[in-house]
């Protein structure tokens, strides 16, 4: 039986102003079925994704040199779908069994050499502090004071990855943050240590084997290039999810959880094949309302949010070079009045 969602007008006493709006007010209006995990849909997603990746590697193996870029884009985007499956596992929205989430998450992340538990713990922090200055760990803009106080090499890296080389940011994030289990405590430290050593150990076996059997070019052709495509999408998706010239990060004392998730998250429409390969991860608003919604239910949840809370939503965007240049040319340093200050404006 389908349960009826609570209508917004019945929540007037608790959400009669934006300052009183709570995340639970929004969650109560969602259809209950969007939270239901369907094992058939979950495993079908895995099956389809494996087929896509295998098809991609066949394309790489048999394509003439001039078609290799298309094969790399295909395969790297399919590998991004693996990450989205692992992403559901990290939020425990793939299965009701924790061990299945952990197993599938580790296997889905393995071709990307991505430690599952360190990403899971760090990413959950992002959800708890979305667009909160000094707390969010995903594309948080630096204040002028922090930027000026940084070593020159750090300034250069920040400036490049907030600009036209944004697509490298995910690689730096992966390399710098996700293999240091000393940053975690208690059970989390042991989990991160296990995930890190697991992917390092597998890479230590797989990479030399690839190079010995198919050479350095084979390693570049079959692993490195699709991996770079994956990081392009990771950088792009995560940047667009919460960044626009007029989306403001808030100081902790001014931050409202519901508004940050509802109004600070961007729904961006990508080409249909990208949406299919990446399991609708860019239908991102409902995911920030509740991480318990499986990826295959995101579109239904988003329609409900548009119907009930559309006035709070940031306008939808379409993926394009114009969109990316607008973001990477303007959204650089934190500005308390205008959301962002560009590096050009900062130099004046």
């Amino acid at each position: 039986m389908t349960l009826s969602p609570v209508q917004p007008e019945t929540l007037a006493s608790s959400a009669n102003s934006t300052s009183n709006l709570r995340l639970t007010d929004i969650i109560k209006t969602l259809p209950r079925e969007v939270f239901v995990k369907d094992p058939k849909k979950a495993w079908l997603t895995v099956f389809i994704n494996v087929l896509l990746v295998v098809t991609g590697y066949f394309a790489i193996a048999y394509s003439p040199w001039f078609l290799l870029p298309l094969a790399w884009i295909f395969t790297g985007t399919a590998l991004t779908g693996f990450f989205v499956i692992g992403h559901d596992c990290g939020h425990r929205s793939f299965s009701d069994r924790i061990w299945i989430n952990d197993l599938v998450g580790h296997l889905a992340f393995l071709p990307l050499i991505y430690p599952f538990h360190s990403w899971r713990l760090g990413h959950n922090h992002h959800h708890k502090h979305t667009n909160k200055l000094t707390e969010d760990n995903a594309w948080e803009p630096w204040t002028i004071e922090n930027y000026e106080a940084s070593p020159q090499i750090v300034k250069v890296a920040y400036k490049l990855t907030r600009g036209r080389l944004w697509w490298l940011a995910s690689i730096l994030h992966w390399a710098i943050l996700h293999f240091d289990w000393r940053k975690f405590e208690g059970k989390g430290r042991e989990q991160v240590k296990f995930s890190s050593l697991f992917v390092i150990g597998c890479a230590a076996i797989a990479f030399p084997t690839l190079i010995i059997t198919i050479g350095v070019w084979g390693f570049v052709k079959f692993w490195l290039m699709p991996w770079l495509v994956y990081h392009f999408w990771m950088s792009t998706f995560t940047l667009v999810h919460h960044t626009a010239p007029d989306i403001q990060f808030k100081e902790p004392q001014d931050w409202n959880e519901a508004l940050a998730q509802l109004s600070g998250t961007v729904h961006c429409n990508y080409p249909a094949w990208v949406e299919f390969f990446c399991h609708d991860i860019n239908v991102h608003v409902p995911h920030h309302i509740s991480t318990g919604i499986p990826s295959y239910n995101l579109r239904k949840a988003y329609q409900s949010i548009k119907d009930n809370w559309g006035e709070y939503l940031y306008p939808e965007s379409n993926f394009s070079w114009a969109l990316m240049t607008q973001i990477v040319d303007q959204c650089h340093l934190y500005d308390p009045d205008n959301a962002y200050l560009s590096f050009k404006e900062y130099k004046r």
Side-chain angles (χ1 to χ4, degrees), residues 112-267:
L112 309 168
I113 315 301
Y114 222 115
F116 173 73
H117 282 306
S118 61
W119 172 85
R120 177 179 67 82
L121 295 171
H123 183 67
N124 283 333
H125 185 86
H126 159 65
H127 275 271
K128 291 177 182 177
H129 303 283
T130 304
N131 285 32
K132 184 193 291 184
L133 201 66
T134 73
E135 285 287 350
D136 195 353
N137 56 12
W139 293 101
E140 177 204 7
W142 289 5
T143 63
I144 293 175
E145 293 76 18
N146 286 343
Y147 177 74
E148 291 179 342
S150 298
Q152 187 61 33
I153 190 171
V154 176
K155 286 183 181 179
V156 171
Y158 179 81
K159 190 171 183 179
L160 290 176
T161 54
R162 295 297 304 209
R164 297 296 177 95
L165 294 182
W166 85 89
W167 44 275
L168 293 175
S170 175
I171 298 175
L172 293 179
H173 192 269
W174 163 81
I176 295 171
L177 297 180
H178 289 289
F179 290 90
D180 188 356
W181 50 82
R182 296 171 301 175
K183 296 177 181 178
F184 300 85
E185 297 180 354
K187 182 180 179 181
R189 175 176 292 187
E190 293 306 310
Q191 290 176 326
V192 172
K193 185 176 182 179
F194 169 81
S195 294
S196 300
L197 293 178
F198 173 68
V199 296
I200 291 171
C202 289
I205 297 170
F207 288 176
T209 301
L210 279 174
I211 293 171
I212 290 170
T213 55
I214 57 178
V216 174
W217 168 239
F219 173 77
V220 171
K221 177 180 173 180
F222 282 96
W223 185 81
L224 182 61
M225 296 307 295
W227 185 76
L228 291 176
V229 171
Y230 152 72
H231 276 290
F232 167 84
W233 286 125
M234 273 293 290
S235 295
T236 301
F237 290 169
T238 55
L239 177 61
V240 174
H241 281 163
H242 304 284
T243 310
D246 52 348
I247 289 183
Q248 180 70 281
F249 273 65
K250 295 287 187 179
E251 296 279 1
Q253 66 272 17
D254 300 322
W255 184 78
N256 176 281
E257 181 183 26
L259 288 177
Q261 312 292 12
L262 191 60
S263 305
T265 305
V266 178
H267 177 98

Side-chain angles (χ1 to χ4, degrees), residues 85-134:
I85 291 170
H87 174 271
D88 269 18
C89 292
H91 287 301
R92 309 316 195 192
S93 59
F94 181 86
S95 171
D96 287 324
R97 298 177 183 271
I98 292 178
W99 73 267
I100 292 179
N101 286 311
D102 287 348
L103 175 62
V104 175
H106 277 87
L107 293 177
F109 277 21
L110 182 57
L112 309 168
I113 315 301
Y114 222 115
F116 173 73
H117 282 306
S118 61
W119 172 85
R120 177 179 67 82
L121 295 171
H123 183 67
N124 283 333
H125 185 86
H126 159 65
H127 275 271
K128 291 177 182 177
H129 303 283
T130 304
N131 285 32
K132 184 193 291 184
L133 201 66
T134 73

Side-chain angles (χ1 to χ4, degrees), residues 308-328:
N308 294 325
W309 303 96
E311 63 184 296
Y312 294 97
L313 295 177
Y314 189 82
E316 291 187 9
S317 60
N318 295 312
F319 176 66
S320 66
W321 179 246
L323 172 69
M324 296 312 301
T325 54
Q326 179 191 44
I327 292 173
V328 301

